């Protein structure tokens, strides 16, 4: 039983040891993008050695589907070199004939220490519309002069090769669009619809202002009428009192005359 346990542990350790390097290959992230559009991807480089650092990465771009725009993002501590090559068959992009395209991007001068990884971002396009994937062959160099070539093309339905190349899967564009172009058109459409909405909002505000003005005028009119009625009431009351006082005085005079006659 002890011998069996030891054998099992050794076999499991061997499997993990062999699977480790395969799982830590140079990859591309995200692993898919839309056909016909532009994408920013990261070449992810893990250091699979315990006693050496990665000091250079070379990525070769596909020649069967050349990309007219390839722009690497600066990575602190690393130098980048972009190489171009003439195309066997010129291609057209936005009405212009393209005779050269980026063939290789190389990062050097930095270090990917043991137990760490580094991302190298690249913006690229326009991605082909007639392909379902792009293969980028990569070469990783260590400071102990070891070179690992990640250049084997994975085959559908087959086991992953020992040194697989980074692969970018291409999917059909949604609604027949090309990357972010459709989003821009939608935004423009929303802008057109926004003008009538704003105009309607202005009309609503004007109507509200007119209603408020009418209400203020009516309130003022009613206030003036109320004040006038109040003043008329007070005047009528004063006049009534004067009349009453005059009548009483006349009565008193009549009474005094009668007494004098007697």
């Amino acid at each position: 039983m002890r011998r069996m346990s030891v054998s099992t542990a050794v076999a499991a350790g061997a499997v993990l040891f062999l699977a480790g390097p395969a799982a830590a290959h140079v990859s591309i992230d995200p692993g898919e993008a839309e056909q016909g559009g532009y994408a920013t991807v990261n070449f992810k480089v893990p250091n699979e050695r315990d006693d050496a650092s990665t000091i250079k990465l070379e990525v070769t771009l596909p020649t069967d589907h050349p990309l007219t725009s390839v722009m690497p993002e600066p990575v602190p501590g690393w130098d980048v070199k972009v190489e171009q090559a003439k195309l066997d068959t010129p291609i057209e992009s936005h009405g212009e004939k393209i005779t050269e395209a980026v063939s290789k991007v190389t990062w050097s001068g930095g270090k990917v220490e043991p137990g760490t990884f580094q991302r190298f971002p690249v913006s690229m396009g326009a991605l082909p519309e007639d392909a379902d994937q792009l293969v980028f062959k990569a070469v990783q160099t260590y400071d102990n002069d070891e070179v690992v070539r990640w250049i084997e093309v994975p085959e559908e339905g087959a086991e992953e090769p020992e040194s697989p190349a980074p692969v970018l899967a291409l999917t059909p564009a949604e609604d027949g669009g090309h990357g972010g172009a459709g989003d821009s058109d939608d935004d423009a459409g929303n802008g057109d619809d926004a003008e009538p909405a704003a105009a309607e909002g202005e009309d609503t505000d004007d109507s509200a202002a007119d209603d408020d003005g009418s209400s203020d005028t009516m309130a003022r009119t009613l206030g003036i009428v109320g004040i006038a009625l109040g003043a008329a009431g007070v005047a009528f009351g004063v006049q009534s009192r004067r009349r009453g006082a005059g009548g009483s005085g006349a009565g008193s005079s009549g009474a005094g005359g009668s007494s004098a006659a007697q």
Side-chain angles (χ1 to χ4, degrees):
M1 289 296 292
R2 290 181 178 178
R3 290 179 180 179
M4 185 178 297
S5 299
V6 172
S7 300
T8 302
V10 171
V15 170
L16 291 175
F17 177 78
L18 293 175
H25 56 269
V26 175
S27 60
I28 193 168
D29 179 43
E32 66 177 31
E34 290 186 355
Q35 295 172 337
Y38 289 77
T40 298
V41 299
N42 296 284
F43 289 97
K44 185 178 178 181
V45 182
N47 192 339
E48 57 183 5
R49 299 291 182 263
D50 296 331
D51 56 354
S53 297
T54 297
I55 57 173
K56 184 166 69 172
L57 173 69
E58 300 169 82
V59 174
T60 301
L61 279 70
T63 56
D64 53 343
H65 294 288
L67 302 174
T68 59
S69 176
V70 176
M71 294 184 293
E73 180 179 337
V75 179
W78 292 81
D79 299 322
V80 60
K81 180 182 178 181
V82 179
E83 300 179 35
Q84 292 191 342
K86 289 186 177 181
L87 301 177
D88 295 335
T89 303
I91 59 176
E92 289 190 4
S93 176
H94 302 291
E96 296 183 2
K97 181 179 290 187
I98 306 298
T99 59
E100 291 185 342
V102 175
S103 58
K104 180 187 291 187
V105 182
T106 303
W107 290 269
S108 61
K111 281 189 176 183
V112 183
E113 303 287 348
T116 65
F117 72 92
Q118 178 66 55
R119 290 190 179 96
F120 298 93
V122 178
S123 172
M124 59 180 63
L127 302 176
E129 300 180 7
D130 57 349
D132 56 6
Q133 69 176 22
L134 291 178
V135 179
F136 300 87
K137 296 183 179 181
V139 177
Q140 183 178 10
T141 303
Y142 290 88
D143 58 6
N144 61 357
D145 295 331
E146 180 185 2
V147 177
V148 181
R149 303 179 184 277
W150 307 99
I151 60 175
E152 297 180 277
V153 181
E155 299 292 340
E156 185 177 357
E159 293 184 0
E160 184 179 61
E162 184 177 353
S163 300
V167 176
L168 178 65
L170 301 178
T171 60
E174 295 182 4
D175 300 328
H178 299 292
D183 297 338
S184 298
D185 294 342
D186 292 340
D187 292 341
N190 292 336
D192 294 341
D193 294 340
E195 279 190 32
E200 290 175 3
E202 290 176 2
D203 293 342
T204 303
D205 293 341
D206 292 342
S207 300
D210 292 342
D211 292 341
D212 292 341
S214 300
S215 300
D216 291 343
T217 302
M218 183 174 292
R220 291 178 181 177
T221 302
L222 291 176
I224 292 171
V225 172
I227 293 172
L229 290 176
V234 172
F236 180 77
V238 171
Q239 188 175 1
S240 297
R241 289 181 181 178
R242 287 179 180 178
R243 287 179 181 177
S248 299
S252 301
S253 300
S258 298
S259 300
Q262 290 178 359

